Amino acid sequence: METELIIMLAAILALLLISAFFSGSETSLTAASRPRMHTLEQDGNPRAGVVNRLWDSKERLIGAILLGNNLVNISASALTTSLMIGWFGEAGVAYATLGMTLLILIFAEVLPKTYALHNADKAALTVAPILRPVVLILGPITLTIQWIVGSTLKIFGIDLSASLAQDVAEEELRGAIDLHSGIGEEIRHERQMLRSILDLGDVEVEEIMTHRKNVVAINVDQPAAKIVDDILASPYTRIPLWQGESDNVVGVLHAKALLRAVQASSTNLEGLDILSIAAQPWFIPESTDLLSQLQAFRSRHEHFAIVIDEYGEMLGIVTLEDILEEIVGDIADEHDVDIEGVKADKDGSLLVDGEVTIRDLNRQFEWDLPDEEASTIAGLILHEARRIPDIGQVFVFHGCRFEIVGRMRNQITSIKIERLEDEADSEGEEETAAAG
């Protein structure tokens, strides 16, 4: 009799341990980092490969774990109930229910899952080789269960075969980037770059181009000597050439090509045909997204394009460097003109040029100002105010206070921006200030 009792107690203990194994396995395999497992497999870790193969058939994996977990829990409860009835009669059912609930909850659920949650990667690598044969053995049963579940859900119009939508997958990736925690400048810059890469397909070249009024262009009808002087005085490598009208771009002159031509012509610049050494201009529509344009730059082996509107009018220029700067931030060299457009004041406010883009502000300061209706900070104020504001007027929206500091004709040239603490109380408010 004592031997039977010991065997039953040992069986119950073993079943509880197996239940703890299944519970911990479920948590570890669902909480483990898939990118890290992929990296470990690439580095030659065989256990990481097993984890990834189990993930490839996640429904079978979860089905096998749940099936095994329920089998051992029910078996442990049945043995305990039988043992308690033998000791206490029918009252043993209540004792068995209460006792097994506590034991399973504490030692077979909370304890292993807590450990697995805090050591997910390590636990996943440990349990994966053991679970693999379990999944294979229980495979036919789990497939049958999956078929029953799928058929039942179809009755209610739920289709499990639908793949994960692209936008949902992108949202998950953005969430992972936001969770890339850290307060250092390097971590913040990494978050900015990763977000910018995902945004390339949503941003059009019009939003990052250099507007035509700021484009340095040269009249090709000028004497060759004057064109050479203008090129040497310019900080840029590629210069658009226009003829007749400033919007009529007829070529793009590369400084290196010009220097080769000047060297070949010795001192005789009068006979130099500038158009013959200039490249044909490449025109692109304003609605082209940055991802498509980046791929086009790579396929055409070009770095420079002219942006036009639907009527064929020149709007500005965009370069490969412009797109790269959208990802990594400003790329300055010894010839760049240092115009940042944002200056910090002692009181914590910012003095911002109207042409500074909303995307640059959001990226630099990790704000969330909307850029759907306008690309520049001046455009955002015009959109929200629904009028052209006067100098000294103050608007409060999107968690910021905007004071108009400079205006030239109908263009907002300078704004003072203060970030407010309570964004909820600042939406849609407008303050009045005397014009200075």
Side-chain angles (χ1 to χ4, degrees):
M1 192 69 179
E2 291 183 1
T3 304
E4 292 180 3
L5 177 60
I6 294 174
I7 292 175
M8 289 188 67
L9 291 175
I12 294 171
L13 178 61
L15 291 171
L16 287 174
L17 291 174
I18 297 173
S19 177
F21 168 78
F22 280 123
S23 297
S25 299
E26 179 185 5
T27 300
S28 63
L29 287 170
T30 53
S33 169
R34 188 154 194 173
R36 185 164 185 266
M37 291 299 135
H38 175 75
T39 302
L40 289 175
E41 183 182 7
Q42 296 297 314
D43 293 340
N45 189 318
R47 293 192 175 190
V50 176
V51 174
N52 291 330
R53 300 295 80 75
L54 289 174
W55 272 336
D56 290 339
S57 54
K58 185 170 287 187
E59 289 184 356
R60 290 183 62 186
L61 171 64
I62 299 300
I65 291 175
L66 292 177
L67 177 60
N69 205 5
N70 279 282
L71 281 175
V72 295
N73 285 342
I74 293 172
S75 298
S77 298
L79 288 176
T80 304
T81 301
S82 175
L83 187 62
M84 290 297 169
I85 288 175
W87 285 352
F88 304 102
E90 293 192 8
V93 176
Y95 298 150
T97 301
L98 179 61
M100 287 306 296
T101 299
L102 292 175
L103 289 174
I104 291 175
L105 179 64
I106 297 174
F107 298 105
E109 291 291 337
V110 176
L111 191 151
K113 287 187 175 182
T114 301
Y115 173 80
L117 190 61
H118 289 83
N119 301 273
D121 292 346
K122 180 181 178 181
L125 293 172
T126 301
V127 303
I130 305 173
L131 269 181
R132 189 175 187 181
V134 174
V135 173
L136 292 175
I137 294 171
L138 298 179
I141 302 176
T142 56
L143 287 175
T144 304
I145 294 174
Q146 289 174 20
W147 179 83
I148 296 173
V149 170
S151 301
T152 305
L153 291 176
K154 281 185 179 179
I155 297 175
F156 296 97
I158 301 174
D159 185 10
L160 297 179
S161 62
S163 59
L164 186 65
Q166 178 65 30
D167 54 347
V168 175
E170 185 173 316
E171 286 178 5
E172 289 187 351
L173 190 52
R174 290 183 185 276
I177 293 172
D178 291 336
L179 291 175
H180 184 47
S181 59
I183 59 175
E185 182 66 23
E186 182 178 349
I187 298 297
R188 188 174 68 86
H189 189 58
E190 288 175 355
R191 284 199 300 265
Q192 291 173 355
M193 288 195 296
L194 292 171
R195 291 192 192 109
S196 298
I197 291 172
L198 291 178
D199 287 339
L200 287 181
D202 301 323
V203 181
E204 298 178 351
V205 293
E206 181 187 18
E207 299 180 46
I208 70 162
M209 70 179 183
T210 302
H211 195 273
R212 63 181 180 182
K213 70 178 182 179
N214 297 322
V215 172
V216 176
I218 294 176
N219 184 1
V220 75
D221 292 329
Q222 296 180 110
K226 179 65 168 61
I227 293 177
V228 172
D229 290 340
D230 290 343
I231 292 290
L232 293 177
S234 170
Y236 305 109
T237 304
R238 297 172 177 82
I239 308 292
L241 302 176
W242 59 273
Q243 192 171 40
E245 299 179 354
S246 58
D247 286 346
N248 182 32
V249 178
V250 294
V252 177
L253 183 60
H254 196 293
K256 185 177 289 187
L258 176 65
L259 291 176
R260 290 196 190 101
V262 170
Q263 184 183 42
S265 63
S266 298
T267 58
N268 182 22
L269 297 181
E270 296 301 325
L272 190 62
D273 186 359
I274 298 296
L275 272 181
S276 66
I277 60 177
Q280 288 294 321
W282 176 23
F283 299 98
I284 62 172
E286 59 184 319
S287 59
T288 306
D289 64 84
L290 298 191
L291 183 59
S292 300
Q293 187 58 37
L294 178 61
Q295 294 170 342
F297 275 138
R298 294 179 61 188
S299 62
R300 290 175 61 107
H301 303 289
E302 296 197 34
H303 292 205
F304 191 98
I306 311 293
V307 183
I308 59 174
D309 62 14
E310 57 184 315
Y311 303 106
E313 297 292 330
M314 174 183 171
L315 296 178
I317 63 171
V318 66
T319 67
L320 177 61
E321 184 175 313
D322 292 331
I323 299 179
L324 295 179
E325 286 183 341
E326 279 298 299
I327 300 174
V328 302
D330 290 337
I331 303 173
D333 58 35
E334 65 272 20
H335 301 296
D336 278 349
V337 180
D338 186 17
I339 303 177
E340 297 181 358
V342 179
K343 296 180 181 178
D345 206 345
K346 294 180 180 179
D347 61 0
S349 63
L350 300 174
L351 188 62
V352 181
D353 292 347
E355 296 179 351
V356 173
T357 65
I358 300 170
R359 281 177 48 75
D360 286 342
L361 288 174
N362 286 342
R363 182 170 51 195
Q364 179 68 27
F365 303 105
E366 296 196 323
W367 293 350
D368 55 358
L369 297 176
D371 59 357
E372 293 82 7
E373 302 295 337
S375 59
T376 66
I377 194 64
L380 176 64
I381 293 175
L382 291 175
H383 173 74
E384 295 290 344
R386 304 296 179 181
R387 63 180 181 272
I388 301 174
D390 297 321
I391 294 178
Q393 276 193 285
V394 176
F395 301 92
V396 179
F397 45 76
H398 303 303
C400 293
R401 180 180 183 273
F402 302 87
E403 180 180 350
I404 309 303
V405 177
R407 172 180 156 184
M408 181 179 294
R409 298 186 180 90
N410 294 328
Q411 181 184 3
I412 301 174
T413 58
S414 184
I415 308 106
K416 181 179 180 181
I417 304 177
E418 294 179 64
R419 191 68 174 172
L420 303 178
E421 294 296 330
D422 190 357
E423 182 174 343
D425 295 337
S426 65
E427 284 296 323
E429 297 181 6
E430 178 181 344
E431 302 177 10
T432 57

